[in-house]
């Protein structure tokens, strides 16, 4: 199944290279059928096509700051020029002087530069004044305007959208330095969290939980203060300020709800801090047997970035696959071939499937290394190169297991995306309350199924590393083993995962707080709420990539423990593989759970006895 899917993905990649006009994508092209930077063949019916553009390697978009709309399409004209105007040009005389000095002609090819100031057609054949300063983008040779407003309009033209991204891209362009700084802050915070979990103590956990509580409360307070500040600001009549106010209100409501839930959970589970510290110390002991496990997120993240860049390149190539058609005025447009939309759909499926496959390979590698170290009789003599051994077993024997597990995720996630799209489409209808409710229920069901499958896959990979069985058999065995032994470690494992989740929340809180302070200093930014949301998403993604190592090791350890209990009894003939520290920890946790269960049962009986006594009277 995976071979067939991979072959089709390779076919799409090859087709995009052959039919996708990679030259038009990489070097850029004008509105008359010429690729910049090369000699072109003429297009029948287009008199300005077939020109030698060897010396004109840059694409200049006319009227990038003054767009016109004809029907449902943007009226845009692009030219091949030898250089981009780096200074603003305020008159046709300056445009003519720029053409004579640099050899870069900013008017349509049919108009000679000597006639820029005399021809009555100059207003329609030359760019509208003033011409903004621009610089060439290094990869695609586009002349990009340098002012934020013109940049956002230019980006909107490039992806054929007039309204949606206008103010959003302006905010991203204006705050690009701040966004880069926040991303670096996220990396530093994630590394700091790895250090805390690596050398965790009771004091560190208390400080960590205190920081989480303060961070949540502080971010909520800042958001509500910003909303109050916006409501009392006289400039709120501007559309951009109104959009920012709505986004801040949404952030404040969501963050308040999350804060309330997390505070309740922290209060309920506060007495398990000591056991949690012991649990992470055992986890770190397992990581010490294979310390290079901490570097797994780095190469996984690098591979994911490489794949995403390749995926976007193929998508853009598919977008340029089409036949040339001559339009009014001698301009050339490329209409997509039939069947391209189906390739886009499969390409989206390939994005989800391949991304999950890469992540599953990391989970399988970590699980295999943990299993190798756990089922080693000589604890003082750890196995040599467990990570390389796990990688070799994965690629030679268990690629099919990872493929099947990763394929289940898009099977659930793609319908969830479709349901979400249909739900958003129904929001604009006035008589679709029942339909919206049903779609919302379907979306929640798919979300729960997605989370369950992610947990099932992780346990199936660990069982495969233990027994060497296929995915379906491993998933069935893991489910049975965990069902039998759930009373031993379910609550402790869940609280360990909860502490790891709090680490991710702490990284996001400090990153969002830094973004709020940085963005709010300058109200000249347009829509900065969306850049802040992107930064928060990136912060959670990076934190999850780094801290998921502890989560995977923790889940693998408990499954190994469950298998150890199933196959051994602790006697001299069948001794446990676990060390005494792990065994004593599980016994103490079980005693604590049993004591609390008896206490709850005793209090329940007392309440029932009191009620009966009152009725007897």
């Amino acid at each position: 199944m995976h071979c067939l899917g991979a072959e089709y993905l390779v076919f799409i990649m090859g087709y995009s290279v052959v039919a996708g006009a990679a030259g038009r994508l990489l070097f850029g092209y004008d509105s008359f059928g010429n690729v910049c930077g090369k000699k072109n063949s003429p297009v029948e019916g287009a008199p300005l096509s077939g020109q030698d553009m060897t010396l004109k390697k840059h694409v200049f978009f006319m009227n990038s700051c003054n767009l016109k709309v004809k029907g449902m399409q943007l009226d845009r004209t692009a030219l091949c020029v030898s250089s981009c105007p780096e200074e603003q040009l305020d008159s046709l005389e300056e445009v003519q002087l720029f053409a004579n000095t640099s050899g870069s002609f900013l008017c349509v090819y049919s108009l000679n530069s000597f006639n820029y100031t005399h021809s009555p057609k100059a207003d329609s054949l030359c760019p509208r004044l003033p011409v903004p300063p621009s610089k060439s983008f290094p990869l695609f040779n586009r002349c990009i305007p340098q002012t934020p407003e013109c940049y956002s309009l230019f980006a909107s033209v490039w992806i054929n959208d007039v309204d949606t991204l206008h103010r959003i891209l302006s905010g991203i362009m204006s705050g690009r330095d701040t966004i880069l700084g926040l991303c670096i802050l996220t990396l530093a915070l994630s590394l700091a969290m790895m250090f805390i979990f690596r050398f965790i103590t009771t004091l560190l956990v208390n400080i960590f939980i205190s920081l989480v509580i303060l961070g949540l409360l502080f971010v909520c307070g800042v958001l509500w203060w910003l909303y109050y500040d916006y409501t009392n600001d006289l400039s709120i009549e501007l559309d951009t300020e109104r959009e920012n106010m709505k986004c801040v209100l949404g952030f404040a409501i969501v963050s308040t709800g999350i804060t309330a839930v997390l505070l309740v959970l922290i209060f309920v589970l506060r007495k398990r801090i000591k056991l949690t510290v012991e649990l992470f110390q055992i986890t770190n002991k397992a990581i010490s047997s294979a310390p290079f496990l901490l570097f797994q997120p780095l190469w996984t993240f690098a591979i994911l970035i490489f794949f995403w860049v390749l995926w976007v390149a193929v998508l853009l190539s598919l977008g340029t696959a089409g036949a040339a058609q001559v339009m009014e005025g001698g301009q050339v447009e490329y209409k997509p071939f039939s069947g391209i939309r189906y390739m886009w759909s499969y390409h989206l499926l390939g994005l989800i499937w391949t991304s999950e496959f890469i992540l599953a390979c990391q989970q399988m590698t970590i699980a295999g290394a943990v299993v190798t170290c756990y089922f080693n009789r000589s604890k003082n003599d750890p196995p040599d190169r467990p990570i390389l051994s796990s990688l070799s077993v994965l690629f030679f024997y268990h690629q099919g297991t990872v493929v099947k597990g990763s394929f289940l995720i898009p099977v659930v996630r793609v319908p969830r995306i479709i349901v979400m799209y249909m739900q958003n489409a129904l929001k604009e209808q006035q008589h679709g309350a029942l339909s919206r409710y049903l779609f919302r229920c379907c979306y929640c069901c798919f979300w729960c199924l997605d989370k369950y499958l992610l947990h099932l896959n992780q346990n199936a990979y660990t069982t495969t590393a233990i027994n060497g069985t296929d995915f379906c058999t491993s998933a069935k065995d893991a489910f049975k083993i965990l069902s039998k032994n759930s009373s031993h470690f379910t609550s402790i494992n869940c609280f360990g995962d909860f502490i790891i989740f709090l680490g991710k929340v702490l990284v996001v809180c400090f990153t969002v707080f830094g973004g709020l302070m940085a963005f709010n200093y300058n109200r000249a930014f347009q829509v900065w709420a969306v850049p802040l949301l992107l930064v928060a998403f990136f912060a959670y993604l990076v934190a999850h990539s780094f801290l998921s190592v502890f989560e995977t090791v923790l889940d693998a350890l408990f499954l190994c423990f469950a298998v150890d209990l199933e196959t051994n009894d602790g006697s001299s003939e069948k001794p446990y593989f676990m060390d005494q520290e792990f065994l004593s920890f599980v016994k103490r946790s079980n005693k604590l759970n049993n004591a609390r269960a008896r206490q709850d049962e005793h209090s329940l009986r007392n309440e029932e006895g009191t009620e009966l006594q009152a009725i007897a009277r």
Side-chain angles (χ1 to χ4, degrees), residues 538-606:
F538 178 80
Y540 183 82
L541 181 64
V542 173
H544 175 73
S545 299
F546 281 89
L547 298 182
S548 62
V549 174
F550 296 94
E551 192 173 358
T552 305
V553 171
L554 188 61
D555 293 339
L557 276 177
F558 277 114
L559 188 56
C560 291
F561 169 76
V563 174
D564 200 4
L565 289 180
E566 285 286 321
T567 56
N568 302 298
D569 54 11
S571 62
S572 57
E573 292 80 10
K574 292 184 176 181
Y576 290 128
F577 282 93
M578 72 187 80
D579 54 18
Q580 292 300 319
E581 183 181 359
F582 195 7
L583 183 60
S584 61
F585 165 76
V586 174
K587 289 181 178 179
R588 287 196 304 273
S589 63
N590 286 336
K591 288 181 181 179
L592 180 62
N593 291 333
N594 293 333
R596 288 179 177 173
R598 287 195 298 269
Q599 184 179 359
D600 294 339
E601 184 179 358
H602 181 69
S603 62
L604 181 61
R605 288 178 179 177
N606 290 338

Side-chain angles (χ1 to χ4, degrees), residues 210-471:
S210 301
L211 288 175
V212 171
I213 295 174
L214 290 176
L216 289 170
L217 294 176
F218 202 67
V219 169
C220 287
V222 170
L223 286 170
W224 284 113
W225 171 77
L226 283 176
Y227 176 70
Y228 174 79
D229 188 47
Y230 269 110
T231 55
N232 292 276
D233 193 351
L234 295 178
S235 65
I236 200 64
E237 296 300 325
L238 298 175
D239 290 339
T240 54
E241 293 291 314
R242 238 187 331 260
E243 290 181 10
N244 281 333
M245 185 184 69
K246 291 179 181 179
C247 292
V248 168
L249 177 61
F251 287 158
I253 294 174
V254 172
S255 63
T256 302
I258 294 176
T259 299
V261 173
L262 291 180
L263 289 179
V264 171
L265 290 175
I266 291 173
F267 179 78
V268 172
L269 301 173
R270 69 190 186 282
K271 296 182 179 179
R272 294 182 177 269
I273 292 178
K274 186 177 180 181
L275 282 176
T276 304
V277 172
E278 296 181 20
L279 176 63
F280 279 105
Q281 288 175 349
I282 294 172
T283 303
N284 288 321
K285 187 176 181 180
I287 293 177
S288 299
S289 302
F292 285 100
L293 284 176
L294 296 176
F295 294 95
Q296 294 303 302
L298 296 177
W299 65 262
T300 302
F301 196 70
I303 294 175
L304 280 174
I305 291 295
F306 172 78
F307 168 69
W308 289 339
V309 171
L310 179 63
W311 185 88
V312 170
V314 173
L315 181 65
L316 294 177
S317 296
L318 286 176
T320 60
Q325 291 187 2
V326 181
M327 311 301 291
E328 182 182 358
Q331 295 192 5
V332 177
E333 290 187 2
Y334 293 89
K335 299 298 181 181
F337 295 122
S338 60
I340 289 294
R341 294 188 180 274
Y342 299 103
M343 290 187 178
W344 288 348
S345 302
Y346 192 85
H347 197 50
L348 175 61
L349 176 64
L351 170 66
I352 302 175
W353 189 1
T354 307
S355 298
E356 291 298 330
F357 175 78
I358 295 171
L359 293 173
C361 287
Q362 172 182 301
Q363 294 175 344
M364 188 77 176
T365 302
I366 296 175
V370 172
V371 167
T372 302
C373 296
Y374 183 94
F375 292 101
N376 178 38
R377 288 295 183 186
S378 179
K379 300 300 180 182
N380 296 325
D381 185 20
D384 296 332
R385 297 181 292 275
I387 298 177
L388 292 178
S389 176
S390 178
L391 279 173
S392 62
V393 171
L394 166 64
F395 286 109
F396 285 108
Y397 300 104
H398 296 307
Q399 285 195 54
T401 299
V402 177
V403 167
K404 291 178 183 177
S406 60
F407 180 70
L408 290 177
I409 304 303
V411 167
V412 175
R413 195 164 292 174
V414 170
R416 193 180 76 179
I417 295 174
I418 296 174
V419 169
M420 181 178 64
Y421 174 79
M422 298 179 69
Q423 178 184 347
N424 293 331
L426 288 174
K427 286 182 179 179
E428 301 178 358
Q429 300 181 7
Q430 299 179 354
H431 303 288
L434 179 60
S435 300
R436 290 197 301 270
Y437 176 76
L438 293 176
F439 278 117
R440 191 175 293 113
C441 292
C442 292
Y443 180 83
C444 293
C445 292
F446 279 120
W447 183 86
C448 294
L449 183 59
D450 186 7
K451 298 303 178 184
Y452 174 76
L453 287 177
L454 288 174
H455 182 68
L456 178 65
N457 285 353
Q458 174 59 52
N459 292 323
Y461 299 149
T462 305
T463 307
T464 298
I466 297 173
N467 299 327
T469 51
D470 61 274
F471 176 79

